[in-house]
């Protein structure tokens, strides 16, 4: 009999549900929340309220698109954390209730594990191209910047991570401070494509080992713009493409320097990326070009699987389910990685 898994993701500001059958995706529905736009960042309380409104229609739509009835489900996978506690509570409570009412197993998933396994989402009729183990995943999002060594679907180790801001935060905060828009990553990506990345350069941090830091480069850009604006108030307006291109290039250089170091240290040449920032066109093309130079096998998830989605939670949950993992109904969500 087929294993049909319903995945539920609600860790931040996207409510998502997906259905997979024996590892193949049948549906992936995502309701993004527009309510945060006016605030320039995710407002946790508004996010949980929006999840409450979205969760039933999103799950119903995912089941309908997949052509699956609740009674056909084998198990329910859900994001337990890390993320915003109120948001996680909605998905977790819903998953628990459904599992109880259908009398089927519940399987908890670490959100980050979903991102690192995004390349394993299979779709009927599409060629299968998956990294072999062990591989390195550069996990870059609004909340994380990590290099993860993945030894099997269920075994992973964080070998480098940010000591302050995440790279997505650097994109978002700078864009907000410069009045360019929210979320900052896609805005800066678009402007950077029209600019000269070599005209402005920003200081890179010197952090030992494989760890990252992004708060210094953010400050470097903002102070530079402030000083130039004091001399010429139209500086930002006249130079925003070049500024974005230089800033984005600096962030990508920082990410790549440590990834190259990690590959050399571990001898691993299977390289993947994941998380919202892996949608960045500059980062994607740079990973491919570095990979060609360094004989890496590089794997880039499709755009739709880079940001938060339940397909990756369902696939991670499927592996956990196959391994025999079951989550008790008294499980509570956790906001921090360390509490998982
Ligand atoms: O994984 P994700 O959806 O969730 C969070 O961890 O919040 O990542 C969101 C992050 C935001 O910081 C957003 O600015 C960034 O991903 N992002 C991008 C791009 N698209 C989304 N950053 C750079 N370039 C992009 N094209």
């Amino acid at each position: 009999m087929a294993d049909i898994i319903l995945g539920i993701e609600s860790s931040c500001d996207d409510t998502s549900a997906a259905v997979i059958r024996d590892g193949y995706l049948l549906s992936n529905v995502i309701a993004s929340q527009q309510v945060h736009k006016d605030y320039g960042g995710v407002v946790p309380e508004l996010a949980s309220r929006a999840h409450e409104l979205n969760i039933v229609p999103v799950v119903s739509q995912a089941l309908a698109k997949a052509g699956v009835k609740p009674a056909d489900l084998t198990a329910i996978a859900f994001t337990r954390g890390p993320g915003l506690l109120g948001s996680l509570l909605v998905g977790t409570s819903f998953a628990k209730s459904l599992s109880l009412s259908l009398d089927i197993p519940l399987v908890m998933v670490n959100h980050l594990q979903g991102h690192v396994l995004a390349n394993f989402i299979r779709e009927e009729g599409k060629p299968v191209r998956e990294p072999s183990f062990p591989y390195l995943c550069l996990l870059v999002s609004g909340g994380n910047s990590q290099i993860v060594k993945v030894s099997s679907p269920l075994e992973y180790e964080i070998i480098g991570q940010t000591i302050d801001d995440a790279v997505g935060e650097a994109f978002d905060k700078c864009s907000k401070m410069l009045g360019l828009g929210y979320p900052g990553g896609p805005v800066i990506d678009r402007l950077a494509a029209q600019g000269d990345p070599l005209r402005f350069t920003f200081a890179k941090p010197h952090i030992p080992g494989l760890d990252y830091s992004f708060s210094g480069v953010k400050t470097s850009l903002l102070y530079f713009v402030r000083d130039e604006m004091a001399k010429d108030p139209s500086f930002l307006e006249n130079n925003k493409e070049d500024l974005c291109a230089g800033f984005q290039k600096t962030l990508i250089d920082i990410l790549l320097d440590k990834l190259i170091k990690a590959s050399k240290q571990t001898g691993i040449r299977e390289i993947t990326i994941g998380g919202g920032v892996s949608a960045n066109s500059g980062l994607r093309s740079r990973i491919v070009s570095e990979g060609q130079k360094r004989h890496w096998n590089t794997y880039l998830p499709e755009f739709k699987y880079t940001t938060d989605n339940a397909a990756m939670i369902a696939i991670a949950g499927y592996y956990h389910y196959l391994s025999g993992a079951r989550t008790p109904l008294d499980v509570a969500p956790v906001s921090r990685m360390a509490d998982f």
Side-chain angles (χ1 to χ4, degrees):
M1 222 175 72
D3 287 326
I4 304 180
I5 313 283
L6 170 69
I8 294 176
E9 156 64 31
S10 72
S11 64
C12 190
D13 60 340
D14 293 305
T15 321
S16 180
V19 179
I20 58 166
R21 182 171 51 216
D22 292 334
Y24 281 82
L25 188 71
L26 300 180
S27 66
N28 183 38
V29 176
I30 304 173
S32 298
Q33 304 178 358
Q34 300 306 317
V35 63
H36 310 287
K37 270 214 156 66
D38 295 343
Y39 302 91
V42 177
V43 183
E45 185 53 36
L46 295 180
S48 1
R49 288 184 207 174
H51 282 304
E52 280 187 332
L53 289 177
N54 292 341
I55 189 91
V56 172
V58 164
V59 170
S60 309
Q61 223 180 313
L63 290 171
K65 273 194 171 176
V68 162
K69 294 187 291 299
D72 302 329
L73 293 173
T74 310
I76 298 170
F78 70 100
T79 305
R80 182 185 177 208
L84 300 172
L85 207 51
S87 294
L88 289 163
L89 206 52
V90 178
T92 304
S93 309
F94 187 88
K96 282 159 72 166
S97 321
L98 199 58
S99 133
L100 183 66
S101 64
L102 296 171
D103 195 22
I104 56 173
L106 188 62
V107 183
M108 69 182 185
V109 171
N110 181 324
H111 180 78
L112 302 182
Q113 197 180 9
H115 277 302
V116 303
L117 293 176
N119 283 288
F120 291 87
I121 300 166
R122 293 185 176 180
E123 286 181 68
E124 220 53 79
K126 285 202 184 167
V128 174
R129 188 172 177 271
E130 293 164 358
S132 41
F133 298 100
Y135 63 86
L136 297 179
C137 177
L138 178 68
L139 182 51
V140 277
S141 71
N144 303 283
S145 301
Q146 296 168 330
I147 301 176
V148 187
K149 179 181 164 194
V150 189
S151 304
S152 78
L154 301 180
E155 272 176 286
Y156 59 100
E157 183 192 351
I158 297 166
I159 58 172
Q161 60 188 319
T162 182
I163 58 166
D164 43 51
D165 285 349
V167 63
E169 254 179 300
F171 275 110
D172 292 341
K173 286 181 181 168
C174 284
S175 178
K176 184 178 173 187
M177 297 291 287
L178 299 179
L180 300 176
Y182 166 82
V187 178
I188 291 180
D189 194 1
R190 186 171 41 76
L191 289 168
Q194 302 155 36
D196 173 3
L198 301 177
R199 195 165 147 230
F200 300 113
T201 51
F202 301 98
K204 284 200 251 167
H206 296 282
I207 308 294
L210 298 175
D211 285 340
Y212 286 118
S213 165
F214 292 102
S215 72
V217 60
K218 178 191 71 187
T219 312
S220 165
L221 168 74
L222 295 176
Y223 277 34
F224 175 69
V225 173
R226 185 197 61 183
D227 292 349
E228 292 300 315
M229 296 280 281
K231 292 180 248 166
D232 169 13
S234 53
F235 175 77
L236 176 61
E237 189 47 41
N238 292 339
N239 296 284
K240 58 179 189 287
E241 293 82 1
D242 290 348
L243 283 166
C244 287
F247 178 61
Q248 179 169 293
K249 180 181 181 310
T250 310
L251 295 179
I252 294 172
D253 285 347
I254 297 170
L255 289 172
L256 263 294
D257 284 353
K258 293 294 171 90
L259 185 61
I260 291 165
K261 195 170 173 183
S263 168
K264 283 186 183 156
Q265 269 182 20
T266 57
I268 297 173
R269 292 217 183 98
E270 295 281 298
I271 308 289
T272 73
I273 55 175
V277 180
S278 68
N280 185 268
S281 54
L283 177 61
R284 290 172 86 91
S285 58
R286 190 60 195 288
I287 291 264
V288 171
S289 61
E290 276 311 323
Q292 281 163 353
K293 216 160 58 192
R294 296 173 189 281
H295 306 291
W296 292 348
N297 291 321
T298 50
Y299 305 82
L300 308 182
E302 283 185 54
F303 279 110
K304 59 184 176 185
Y305 301 134
T306 57
T307 46
D308 292 347
N309 66 85
M312 67 183 193
I313 300 304
I315 204 79
Y318 175 57
Y319 287 118
H320 280 290
Y321 175 79
L322 291 182
S323 79
R326 304 290 182 263
T327 301
L329 280 170
D330 62 357
V331 64
V334 290
S335 59
R336 296 183 321 145
M337 180 75 178
D339 299 330
F340 205 89

